[in-house]
Amino acid sequence: QMQLVESGGGLVQAGGSLRLSCAASRSIFSYAMGWYRQAPGKERELVAIMTSGGSTNYADSVKGRFTISRDNAKNTVFLQMNSVKPEDTAVYYCNARSVVITLEVWGQGTLVTVSS
């Protein structure tokens, strides 16, 4: 069973940058990898996703500010967050979805707090 471990969360001032990492315990080559977030009192929402082929999709609220990338050789996915806003405050979760079998894995989440 694959395990995902997020890191890089913390406190950042509005307008600043943060880079989240998600380390997988096995190869992510055949997985679509995504970042989701859940703010207090709100439902979990998609932030960014990258297919196994490298195509990306972003939530409108983060387009132009956040960038998802992956390093298949290191089994790691990144989320570069620039020009952060207080409304980006949330727990950020890494997600892996197999393109071969019906399998979806979640990380435990990392908290990002943006101060105004």
Side-chain angles (χ1 to χ4, degrees), residues 27-72:
S27 174
I28 62 171
F29 181 78
S30 61
Y31 287 79
M33 301 299 297
W35 287 95
Y36 291 73
R37 68 186 180 187
Q38 187 167 17
K42 295 187 177 181
E43 294 186 354
R44 191 173 297 189
E45 63 176 1
L46 172 70
V47 175
I49 190 168
M50 178 176 275
T51 67
S52 57
S55 298
T56 58
N57 190 34
Y58 295 90
D60 288 342
S61 59
V62 307
K63 282 181 180 177
R65 300 189 297 121
F66 292 8
T67 303
I68 187 171
S69 61
R70 62 193 289 164
D71 185 338
N72 287 345

Side-chain angles (χ1 to χ4, degrees), residues 1 31 36 95-98 101-106:
Q1 178 75 4
Y31 287 79
Y36 291 73
N95 173 273
R97 188 174 303 169
S98 174
I101 59 175
T102 302
L103 177 64
E104 186 175 29
V105 182
W106 290 92

Side-chain angles (χ1 to χ4, degrees), residues 87-100:
E87 51 263 44
D88 294 323
T89 295
V91 177
Y92 284 72
Y93 297 91
C94 182
N95 173 273
R97 188 174 303 169
S98 174
V99 300
V100 178

